[in-house]
């Protein structure tokens, strides 16, 4: 069964698809010739990478899927102009510098999309393949349907297979039922289902006998997710590099996707309230440290790339002891992006930086311990602040957001966050601050009672009426019972905006200290026109430094320093530091905000 695996818009263009790379390697390991087609590169080359990337970055509003809706569904597509007339059309103004966003989107839909599909159908030897597979995540559905529809019209014998996150659970079952160009779907992980489906098609046996496969005629429940990830092959990305270079889109810096773990070890115990990831595959599984190190070396040699973007939802704690020390010892010049839990210590962040980690996504989400408990994050606000401190010190970029809108939160939770933000402007600000989205598979979606819940409105401008949007949508509009009024969050949003502006200034804010035994000097350069220096001696200096490495309690400080004073006296010192904006207090925990002036101790 000669197979082509396709990645359609709007997959990002600055990295290959790990889904295609892995499935190609799996197919070939099972004896099936597999080719990959990063067709998203072709569309980006046609419309321009900056415009394409803006469309690819869109989440929530289904603009990318809307652009391909007519080609996907023909006369059954919904009213195409209605979306542009909606009140949220103003949100899309950034897509056109001249303000004529409606004209640009219409031209893309009516001219660029059909021309792209024509070239794609005519520019690849589809007659040589029997199976075409599509991996769909976020806004890749309708572009994939559009190509599948054209291929089936021109090559009636082609079998189409769909999979990916957009086909997880009932989303996939409904799309198989309602979209004619979908022959089969793999629901869940495809490591074993994909090659077994190809074998069934080659042998002429019933594909529905394969666990995890669905069609309009039924579905077979998936087997438990793959346990031993070391058994998976190394992804093959050759075609991406060839196609990107030919299209003139090969980035100067390529972040190569790699997978060292699946699922979430924290989510398996405490599913974060808002998180819709790992829909049906939450169980945590990780590759052995030996396999991770070998795969990195293999991919670096094969592609001449030293930057690796982990697609893991959370880092395996073992890697802090067995992977990154080995990277440091080997002298390898890797650079990494990883998602982590926010409870990392200073020593662990120092190790990650030494091992090449330059970008982290730690899922901070809030500066309120009460709100973090409502999220079931398993960390305190002081730990979040401390991670920002030492990540700044060790030169690690942190991607994070502040979220609000959780059941049980109070106005005071956000007033306190707004009040403390000016003290944190020397640390990396959040990318944004906004109301939490409602995602399928999240506890907010599955467990909480809503006054109102419906698929995000732009779905209705993408899919025909024959598709049950309640079953295919991933993003939902909602109203919670007892929700706080929108103005509750205004001050925090305003302070975060100021924080972001200060971070982008030519001279970034600073809060640094120098110390010697019994003596501490802090330079405060966080706010223009209010720069100054604080000096503390003896006990106060020792108390401040005792709270620098990590959040700690007054009782622990007293014991650590051997002070013969009441705990209340330590707490009074904490309060004095907080009053000056030099310390972050989080219920019983305190963490000093200044960073050492001496680099990388």
């Amino acid at each position: 069964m000669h197979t082509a695996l396709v990645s359609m818009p709007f997959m990002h263009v600055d990295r290959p698809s790990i889904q295609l790379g892995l499935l190609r390697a799996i197919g070939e390991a099972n004896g099936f010739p597999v080719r990959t087609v990063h067709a998203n590169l072709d569309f980006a080359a046609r419309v321009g990478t900056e415009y394409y990337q803006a469309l690819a970055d869109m989440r929530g509003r289904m603009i990318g899927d809307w652009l391909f809706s007519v080609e996907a569904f023909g006369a059954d597509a919904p009213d195409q102009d209605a979306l542009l007339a909606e009140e949220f059309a103003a949100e899309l103004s950034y897509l056109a510098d001249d303000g004529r966003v409606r004209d640009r989107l219409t031209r893309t839909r009516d001219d660029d999309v059909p021309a792209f599909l024509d070239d794609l159908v005519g520019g690849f030897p589809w007659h040589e393949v029997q199976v075409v597979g599509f991996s769909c995540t976020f806004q890749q559905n309708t572009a994939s349907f559009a190509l599948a529809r054209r291929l089936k019209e021109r090559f009636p014998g082609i079998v189409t297979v769909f999979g990916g996150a957009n086909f997880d659970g009932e989303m996939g079952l409904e799309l198989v039922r309602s979209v004619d160009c979908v022959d089969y779907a793999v629901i869940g992980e495809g490591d074993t289902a994909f090659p077994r489906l190809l074998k069934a098609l080659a042998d002429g046996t019933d594909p529905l006998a394969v666990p995890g496969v669905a069609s309009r005629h039924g579905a077979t429940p998936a087997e438990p997710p793959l346990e031993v990830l070391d058994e998976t092959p190394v992804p093959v990305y050759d075609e991406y590099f060839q196609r990107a270079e030919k299209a003139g889109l090969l980035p100067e810096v390529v972040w190569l996707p790699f997978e060292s773990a699946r699922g979430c070890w924290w989510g398996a115990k405490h599913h974060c309230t808002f998180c819709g990831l790992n829909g049906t595959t939450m169980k945590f599984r990780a590759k052995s440290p030996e396999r991770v190190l070998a795969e990195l070396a293999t991919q670096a040699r094969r592609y001449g790339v030293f930057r690796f973007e982990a697609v893991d939802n959370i880092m395996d704690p073992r890697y802090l002891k067995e992977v990154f020390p080995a990277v440091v010892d080997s002298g390898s010049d890797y650079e990494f992006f990883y998602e982590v839990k926010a409870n990392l210590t200073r020593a662990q962040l120092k190790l990650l930086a030494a091992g090449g980690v330059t970008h982290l996504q730690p899922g901070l989400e809030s500066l309120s311990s009460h709100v973090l408990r409502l999220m079931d994050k398993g960390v305190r606000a002081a730990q979040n602040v401390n991670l920002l401190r030492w990540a700044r010190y060790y030169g690690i970029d942190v991607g994070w957001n502040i979220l609000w809108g959780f059941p049980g939160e109070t106005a005071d939770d956000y007033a306190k966050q707004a009040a403390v933000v000016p003290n944190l402007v020397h640390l990396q600000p959040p990318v944004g601050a906004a109301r939490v989205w409602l995602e399928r598979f999240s506890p907010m979606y599955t467990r909480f009672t809503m006054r109102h819940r419906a698929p995000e409105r732009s779905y209705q401008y993408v899919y025909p009426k024959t598709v049950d949007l309640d079953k295919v949508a991933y993003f939902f509009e909602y109203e919670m019972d007892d929700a706080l009024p929108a103005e509750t969050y205004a001050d925090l949003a305003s302070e975060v905006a100021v924080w972001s502006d200060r971070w982008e200034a030519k001279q970034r804010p600073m809060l640094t200290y120098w110390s010697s035994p019994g003596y501490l000097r802090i330079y405060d350069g966080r706010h223009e026109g209010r720069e100054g220096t604080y000096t503390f001696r003896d006990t106060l200096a020792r108390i401040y430094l005792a709270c620098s490495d990590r959040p700690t309690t007054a009782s622990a400080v007293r014991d650590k320093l051997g002070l013969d004073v009441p705990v209340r006296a330590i707490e009074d010192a904490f309060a004095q530091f907080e009053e000056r904006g030099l310390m972050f207090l989080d219920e019983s925990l305190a963490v000093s905000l200044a960073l050492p002036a001496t680099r990388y101790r």
Side-chain angles (χ1 to χ4, degrees), residues 432-454:
R435 186 178 186 233
V436 63
W437 290 352
L438 182 61
E439 301 177 354
R440 184 182 294 275
F441 304 120
S442 70
M444 280 185 67
Y445 176 85
T446 58
R447 301 178 195 169
F448 288 81
T449 302
M450 304 279 177
R451 182 185 308 135
H452 164 74
R453 186 182 78 186

Side-chain angles (χ1 to χ4, degrees), residues 59-71:
R59 291 288 186 267
R61 305 300 189 196
M62 314 301 294
I63 304 304
D65 276 316
W66 174 83
L67 288 169
F68 281 85
S69 179
V70 169
E71 290 294 331

Side-chain angles (χ1 to χ4, degrees), residues 30-144:
N30 284 271
F32 297 103
V34 178
R35 300 168 69 174
T36 62
V37 183
H38 282 82
N40 58 310
L41 295 171
D42 300 358
F43 193 66
R46 177 177 292 275
V47 302
T49 53
E50 186 175 346
Y51 176 46
Y52 178 93
Q53 206 66 20
L55 292 166
D57 287 337
M58 173 66 71
R59 291 288 186 267
R61 305 300 189 196
M62 314 301 294
I63 304 304
D65 276 316
W66 174 83
L67 288 169
F68 281 85
S69 179
V70 169
E71 290 294 331
F73 304 115
D76 292 332
D79 180 357
Q80 286 292 290
D81 293 325
L83 178 139
L84 296 180
E86 268 282 354
E87 63 268 25
F88 58 70
E91 298 176 20
L92 311 177
S93 59
Y94 70 95
L95 293 172
D97 293 337
D98 59 4
R100 301 179 65 181
V101 65
R102 181 177 303 186
D103 292 343
R104 186 173 197 183
L105 289 171
T106 302
R107 188 169 61 250
T108 303
R109 179 196 66 193
D110 295 344
D111 300 333
D112 293 323
V113 165
F116 158 70
L117 292 169
D118 287 343
D119 288 352
L120 187 55
V121 171
F124 183 86
W126 301 104
H127 63 279
E128 296 179 1
V129 303
Q130 291 83 48
V131 177
V132 180
F134 297 88
S135 176
C136 296
T137 302
F138 290 121
Q139 298 192 80
Q140 288 183 287
N141 278 8
T142 58
S144 300

Side-chain angles (χ1 to χ4, degrees), residues 123 130 216 272 277 322 349 407 495 517 545 547:
Q130 291 83 48
R216 277 178 290 283
C272 296
L277 301 177
E322 300 179 55
L349 286 163
E495 292 292 351
L545 293 172
C547 300

